Amino acid sequence: MPIQISTQPSIIGWDVQKAKLDQSGNGARALVLESTAPLLEIETQQPKILIDQSQSFSEAGLKGLKSFMNDAASYGQQIVSQGIARIVDQGNAFIEIQSSYDPIPDQALNNAYDIFDKEFNYGAIPQSRPSITLDRGQVNFNFRPGDVNNQSTERKVEMNYTPWQVDYYVKQYNSINFRYEPSQFKFTV
């Protein structure tokens, strides 16, 4: 064949740069807290029960020295007063001796026996209750609440975005080549 045709197709090439996202920071806060602890102050005064048993002890014969001395002095004065009254009565009875009444036998019997007769009784001791007083305690408290000072700051998120990029170019252009070689043709007539 004397004509030769050769073709070359066109070839397209491209360069692709992928999209890219650069990010710095995550938006979180840097947590900076200053706190003051709460304070609870409590002051207590304990309750007291005051029991005074001095009257009960006194009735049972368990007295303090001063109380014992006062009671003994009082009892002594009472006995002396009764003795004086008895002697005065007996003396007054002797004044009446002229009235045909003889007080000597009665006074002798009384002084020998009757003044020594005692009556006995029983009783429970102590007869009075102890004195009980209550001194109530107190609870005083002072509460100071705590405090939190938040000085946190935000960290910004910084982003740098590069979009997709595609660059097209012709890597090879199309072409057609014709070649003719006449020597190969022979004509015969």
Side-chain angles (χ1 to χ4, degrees):
M1 181 163 284
I3 297 176
Q4 291 183 351
I5 301 172
S6 64
T7 61
Q8 181 178 339
S10 63
I11 299 175
I12 298 175
W14 59 81
D15 290 329
V16 177
Q17 289 182 351
K18 293 184 178 181
K20 186 167 132 184
L21 177 62
D22 293 327
Q23 177 180 340
S24 64
N26 57 3
R29 291 184 173 207
L31 192 59
V32 179
L33 298 176
E34 292 178 3
S35 63
T36 304
L39 180 65
L40 178 62
E41 296 174 340
I42 299 176
E43 179 183 338
T44 59
Q45 181 180 0
Q46 297 293 329
K48 294 179 186 176
I49 297 177
L50 304 173
I51 301 173
D52 183 12
Q53 300 184 60
S54 59
Q55 180 65 31
S56 301
F57 286 154
S58 175
E59 291 172 3
L62 304 171
K63 301 177 182 180
L65 183 60
K66 184 175 181 181
S67 176
F68 185 75
M69 288 173 57
N70 288 339
D71 287 351
S74 174
Y75 181 69
Q77 287 176 352
Q78 179 184 355
I79 295 298
V80 168
S81 296
Q82 288 175 355
I84 291 173
R86 182 178 52 82
I87 292 171
V88 168
D89 286 344
Q90 288 178 357
N92 289 338
F94 277 116
I95 294 176
E96 301 291 327
I97 200 163
Q98 76 271 3
S99 66
S100 74
Y101 170 70
D102 187 13
I104 294 175
D106 290 336
Q107 288 182 7
L109 184 64
N110 185 30
N111 289 340
Y113 298 108
D114 291 343
I115 63 172
F116 298 110
D117 284 343
K118 302 290 181 191
E119 290 185 14
F120 295 98
N121 196 357
Y122 66 92
I125 54 173
Q127 293 179 348
S128 61
R129 294 182 177 182
S131 171
I132 299 174
T133 56
L134 173 65
D135 182 12
R136 295 183 179 265
Q138 283 185 326
V139 177
N140 297 324
F141 63 91
N142 184 16
F143 177 68
R144 187 184 72 204
D147 188 28
V148 176
N149 186 6
N150 186 356
Q151 297 179 350
S152 301
T153 56
E154 293 182 359
R155 283 193 226 159
K156 292 184 178 179
V157 177
E158 295 183 8
M159 293 186 187
N160 186 10
Y161 175 69
T162 306
W164 282 85
Q165 186 174 355
V166 180
D167 294 326
Y168 294 100
Y169 61 93
V170 177
K171 194 174 188 182
Q172 176 179 314
Y173 287 95
N174 59 344
S175 64
I176 299 175
N177 289 328
F178 295 95
R179 206 166 111 195
Y180 173 69
E181 293 182 15
S183 63
Q184 293 180 357
F185 285 106
K186 292 184 181 178
F187 292 105
T188 21
V189 182

